[in-house]
Amino acid sequence: MAEIGKDIDRAKQLLEAGELIGFPTETVYGLAGNALKEDTVIKIFETKNRPSFDPLIVHTGNIEQISKYTFPIDEDLQKLADKFWPGPLTLLLKKKEVVPDLVTSGLDLVAVRVPAHPMAQELLLHLDFPLAAPSANPFGYISPTQASHVEDQLGHKVPYILDGGNCDVGLESTIVGIEQSQTIIYRLGGTQVSAIEDVVGKVLILPQSSSNPKSPGMLKSHYAPRKPFILGNLEELMDKYASSGVKFGVLSFEKDYSFSQAAENFILSPRRDFSEAAKNLFAGMRYLDGADVSVILAEELPEEHFGKAINDRLRRAAAK
Ligand code: TXA
Ligand code: MG
């Protein structure tokens, strides 16, 4: 099993030796390795069981470092970078030769991000290479938001997990790019659409698609628990499953169903706070997936604040 700790020097040494580690960011934990070293990048794909057509995000400690790996960026994307980095935003930029094609699955654009988590910052600023890091979960499963989540699923495959506590945001970064001067959101996430539109005006949100090779993170079945995950009106669903005698768990926004027919109830935010709900979402899905229930019932949130991004993850989980 992996060693879990807060030793940044140790993390640095392993990364310099071409190894992979689990590392915390403010969104979710990443499975990190030297983005410029092909052997290491291959190891990332293998460790996650990730298909090679699904490109990786490259992380650096600050905006200045990014210019080593990408060509100058479009004005609107520059504005977003200035406003939201370090933070839960990923930009698609034209890559330079030094970035291996493996990282981008052969695409001309590379996804880059400057994470805000203090441990990620400290680590990246002490490295002389960027880190390729997908979320540290097996392909298709729920993203990890605690070091123990990484240990549970990839602990036998990585030597070290840097423990940065619970991820503050809890949703992956929002992915943004530009095509023919139109700003496009490829994945909803930890930076809200409204905040992005405040900076660059109206954006296009690409509809959920299971066949869009451009951002395979948009695959419908992403973020899925292993158990059947049913999305709908909770009261109706509970009546239906209770009468059929199935033992079920409930993932609710703010309501408490612990004294109902539900065998387990995970509440995302008793005070109806969207940030808190986002932060708890993946831990809640994992908890119910591991609980003694056969089915997980869940409800959508109102489409405000992080509601849009949370519903996106819930729908993908249900689409399995
Ligand atoms: O918050 C995050 O973004 C986390 C943390 C660890 O930084 N990382 C993350 O990585 O969610 P991953 O690999 O699980 O998701 C990255 C997504 C994938 O859906 C991938 O298809 C998309 O980014 N992506 C990467 N490079 C791309 C590119 N050049 N063009 C389009 N989409 C790209
Ligand atoms: Mg992922």
Side-chain angles (χ1 to χ4, degrees), residues 23 25 27-31 48 50 53-57 59 88 90 92 103-104 107 109-111 113 115 133-137 143 171-175 186-187 213-218 222-223:
F23 93 127
T25 83
T27 59
V28 300
Y29 275 73
L31 174 68
K48 263 192 75 110
R50 179 177 178 122
F53 59 75
D54 190 357
L56 306 177
I57 298 178
H59 301 69
T90 292
L92 299 184
V103 170
T104 62
L107 298 171
L109 300 179
V110 59
R113 176 163 111 79
S135 51
N137 50 286
S143 296
L171 292 171
E172 297 87 347
S173 59
T174 303
I175 302 180
Y186 296 93
R187 177 176 72 182
K214 198 143 210 179
S215 190
M218 305 182 85
H222 245 67
Y223 315 104

Side-chain angles (χ1 to χ4, degrees), residues 117-135:
H117 192 292
M119 267 185 165
Q121 276 279 316
E122 194 179 338
L123 179 63
L124 286 163
L125 291 173
H126 284 91
L127 291 171
D128 54 15
F129 50 83
L131 292 176
S135 51

Side-chain angles (χ1 to χ4, degrees), residues 171 188-190 281 303 305-314:
L171 292 171
L188 295 167
L281 178 68
E303 291 263 319
H305 198 273
F306 279 144
K308 256 193 176 70
I310 292 171
N311 288 343
D312 169 79
R313 304 302 189 272
L314 291 170

Side-chain angles (χ1 to χ4, degrees), residues 7-147:
D7 186 347
I8 292 189
D9 283 337
R10 172 132 166 77
K12 181 172 176 263
Q13 279 158 16
L14 287 163
L15 291 165
E16 284 168 345
E19 301 287 334
L20 308 185
I21 62 155
F23 93 127
T25 83
E26 73 281 19
T27 59
V28 300
Y29 275 73
L31 174 68
N34 184 342
L36 306 182
K37 207 166 171 236
E38 293 202 345
D39 291 354
T40 301
V41 174
I42 290 172
K43 227 187 290 183
I44 294 177
F45 281 99
E46 286 175 353
T47 302
K48 263 192 75 110
N49 236 336
R50 179 177 178 122
S52 59
F53 59 75
D54 190 357
L56 306 177
I57 298 178
V58 171
H59 301 69
T60 69
N62 56 38
I63 303 193
E64 292 72 45
Q65 290 181 338
I66 282 178
S67 57
K68 289 192 240 165
Y69 314 114
T70 66
F71 289 105
I73 80 180
D74 175 281
E75 194 185 331
D76 274 355
L77 295 187
Q78 183 67 53
K79 282 188 206 157
L80 293 175
D82 292 341
K83 170 93 184 181
F84 297 111
W85 277 345
L89 174 77
T90 292
L91 297 178
L92 299 184
L93 305 176
K94 192 146 184 355
K95 88 172 188 74
K96 286 186 177 167
E97 194 74 28
V98 283
V99 180
D101 288 333
L102 279 171
V103 170
T104 62
S105 306
L107 298 171
D108 296 337
L109 300 179
V110 59
V112 290
R113 176 163 111 79
V114 180
H117 192 292
M119 267 185 165
Q121 276 279 316
E122 194 179 338
L123 179 63
L124 286 163
L125 291 173
H126 284 91
L127 291 171
D128 54 15
F129 50 83
L131 292 176
S135 51
N137 50 286
F139 185 68
Y141 195 66
I142 306 162
S143 296
T145 51
Q146 298 169 16

